[in-house]
Amino acid sequence: MVDVVDSVGPAVIGVRAGAVGQGSGFLITPDGYALTNDHVVAAGPEVEAVLSDGRALRARLVGRDPATDLALIHVAGSALPFARLEAGRAPRPGQLAIAIGNPLGFESTVTAGIVSATGRSLRGTHGRLIDNVIQHTAALNPGNSGGPLVDSAGAVVGVNTAIIAYAQGIGFAIPATTGDWVVAQLLRHGRVPRARIGLAGRTRPIDPRMARLLGLSQDFVVEIVSITERSAAARADLKVGDWLLALDGEATSSVDALIRLLTESRIGKPVPADVLRGRERMSVTVVLEEDEPGRAAS
């Protein structure tokens, strides 16, 4: 474990934003790109990175993604130490998990535990679920946010993001696969493009007898409770009270299932929506629009 810390530790930085934002991050390229948590830099726009050797360098915010609580910054330096994101191998429960960060202002603090579980979900600040979250037992405290979770081979498997108040031995990290994808999007667009349909809904259970009568194979649907004016849903003539059964051929058995379907690949494209209005089943075409950064999901 000492070799792992010697290898990854120099890439871990302290991140300061605005007057109140303080946390951790880690360099992922030698030319200064670093990954951290969105909530660490949300108080920006002025960002400062403190390297493991004590140097404080100016940093530029490249992009934020509140939906995954990740952000990319660029540190004004060169030939910097960096860590590699392990995006090709998922961690397994029971394997070693090492957290490195700056909790409570104590720089380069190392804690260790195991991966407790994978595939957890956390609710982001704008309503979307963050999927495939890693649960682990490495001790985290305020200030660890944005620091790396590292395996026994020295690869970063996650970005530490959350603790549960009053719980012991329960920490969470955004998986490296998600981090790798978000970094690519932020470098390309400065944001993570996602689609928006323009409705508010609730997950509604279907009585089994009604499901049989209507020929439905699912136990839950999304019931539309409001429609945003001039949105994709409004242009498709969706109505309050409609049951949304599927979008683009995929069942919408919950609001979260619907949100997961609002991907970049569907922006601007006509997609079919399977709808139940009263007892009439129909298909309408929805042309999804691009979501505005920072707006609540769906």
Side-chain angles (χ1 to χ4, degrees), residues 11-56:
V12 179
I13 60 175
V15 180
R16 301 169 183 164
V20 295
Q22 186 166 338
S24 304
F26 58 99
L27 293 154
I28 57 173
T29 66
D31 58 346
Y33 286 98
L35 197 56
T36 185
N37 277 159
D38 174 72
H39 74 262
V40 170
V41 299
E46 297 297 325
V47 182
E48 183 180 63
V50 181
L51 274 58
S52 59
D53 61 10
R55 286 182 292 163

Side-chain angles (χ1 to χ4, degrees), residues 132-213:
N132 299 316
V133 171
I134 303 163
Q135 180 185 332
H136 63 85
T137 63
L140 300 180
N141 287 283
N144 270 115
S145 293
L149 186 72
V150 186
D151 69 11
S152 59
V156 177
V157 296
V159 183
N160 289 312
T161 190
I163 55 174
I164 297 178
Y166 309 113
Q168 295 186 16
I170 301 180
F172 296 101
I174 307 301
T177 49
T178 300
D180 188 61
W181 175 73
V182 168
V183 165
Q185 296 295 310
L186 294 178
L187 285 172
R188 185 178 300 122
H189 304 292
R191 67 190 189 287
V192 177
R194 293 184 176 88
R196 180 177 176 83
I197 191 170
L199 62 82
R202 62 184 176 191
T203 304
R204 179 190 177 105
I206 305 174
D207 183 272
R209 292 170 297 178
M210 180 178 291
R212 286 195 299 270
L213 179 65

Side-chain angles (χ1 to χ4, degrees), residues 240-265:
V240 172
D242 284 352
W243 289 6
L244 186 60
L245 309 177
L247 185 72
D248 205 13
E250 301 284 342
T252 51
S253 54
S254 68
V255 173
D256 289 326
L258 171 60
I259 290 173
R260 289 189 184 102
L261 295 173
L262 302 179
T263 59
E264 178 190 7
S265 63

Side-chain angles (χ1 to χ4, degrees), residues 228-244:
T228 304
E229 292 183 3
R230 295 183 295 277
S231 67
R235 289 191 294 271
D237 202 30
L238 291 173
K239 305 292 186 185
V240 172
D242 284 352
W243 289 6
L244 186 60

